[in-house]
Amino acid sequence: MLKLVVLISGTGSNLRALLDAIDDSRNSEQPIAAEIVAIGADTPKANLALAAERSIPTFLVQPGDYPDRAAWGDALLEEIQRWEPDVTILSGFMRLVPPRVVDALSPELLNTHPAYLPEFPGAHAVRDAIEAQVSETGATIMIVDNGVDTGPIIAQQRIPIHPEDTQESLHERIKIVERELLTETVRNLALGTINLKEIAA
Ligand code: GAR
């Protein structure tokens, strides 16, 4: 069974979709052999309630509780490693992870990004795509490295931008694709058909 720790900062709707997909698959012919063993957050605004609904343990590691970013990262790493995950997923975790955390976990450290990387890296990918007046953007799942959204790409898909799109409407359509890519990535990791060390090499 693939053990996952997932980190969120916001509503966690992609995480909810992943939890549902894993649960739903249990009664199918192709169960996803993965389990989310803990859900972590960097802010009390994150929707950790969705973990409580399913009796999944949570942890909250807030930067303001530590003297500096490195100390925060070390505390975050300790919480993650306590669960001995095979893979850690940043699913709407809106903070750059300090180098010591990346070095300890990558390439078994994944991120979802609401654009077709390397286009529109950073925290405002959806807004940036609309402002650039391009006709399409996308969604990407990648390995986290020490750059900003520069790691090796595992899966990505194009998504058209409609003339009437707002940031919200576009982001919702992107998330639908992100959820599919994330679920397929977890399924493939559990099956062993994706090898993160090979992709990162
Ligand atoms: C997702 O679109 C994810 O790709 C994005 O935050 C959203 C989280 O939504 N992450 C980033 O922009 C990271 N740079 P959710 O909380 O509803 O799952």
Side-chain angles (χ1 to χ4, degrees):
M1 189 68 83
L2 185 82
K3 286 168 66 179
L4 304 172
V5 166
V6 180
L7 303 186
I8 61 172
S9 299
T11 56
S13 69
N14 287 358
L15 167 60
R16 184 187 293 281
L18 178 62
L19 284 162
D20 287 344
I22 292 172
D23 280 354
D24 292 350
S25 81
R26 300 235 186 277
N27 303 318
S28 77
E29 283 176 11
Q30 292 177 313
I32 301 172
E35 183 188 3
I36 295 174
V37 293
I39 298 172
D42 61 329
T43 163
K45 291 182 185 153
N47 185 17
L48 287 175
L50 72 86
E53 285 166 19
R54 298 165 198 248
S55 308
I56 297 172
T58 61
F59 55 87
L60 176 60
V61 186
Q62 299 186 74
D65 292 342
Y66 298 88
D68 54 33
R69 214 169 90 80
W72 167 71
D74 290 347
L76 183 67
L77 181 60
E78 194 177 322
E79 288 290 346
I80 294 169
Q81 287 182 326
R82 175 192 304 245
W83 299 98
E84 301 183 347
D86 298 301
V87 177
T88 302
I89 299 175
L90 311 182
S91 183
F93 191 68
M94 300 306 287
R95 235 172 250 281
L96 285 181
V97 179
R100 277 210 287 261
V101 182
V102 175
D103 294 343
L105 299 179
S106 191
E108 285 83 23
L109 179 63
L110 306 185
N111 187 25
T112 62
H113 187 74
Y116 199 87
L117 289 170
E119 298 168 8
F120 309 115
H124 305 288
V126 182
R127 182 196 70 190
D128 293 349
I130 288 186
E131 285 182 357
Q133 299 188 330
V134 289
S135 61
E136 54 182 15
T137 181
T140 303
I141 314 286
M142 81 282 195
I143 295 171
V144 178
D145 67 6
N146 277 311
V148 178
D149 299 323
T150 51
I153 290 165
I154 295 174
Q156 61 184 168
Q157 193 175 308
R158 282 285 183 193
I159 296 153
I161 301 179
H162 302 152
E164 68 279 13
D165 260 330
T166 61
Q167 207 172 302
E168 291 69 31
S169 67
L170 177 58
H171 201 169
E172 276 315 308
R173 286 211 321 288
I174 291 173
K175 285 189 193 185
I176 291 168
V177 175
E178 284 185 296
R179 291 166 193 152
E180 289 167 6
L181 294 179
L182 183 59
T183 300
E184 272 318 290
T185 298
V186 168
R187 181 189 291 282
N188 288 330
L189 285 168
L191 287 170
T193 54
I194 288 182
N195 183 317
L196 296 176
K197 286 196 170 58
E198 272 174 19
I199 293 171

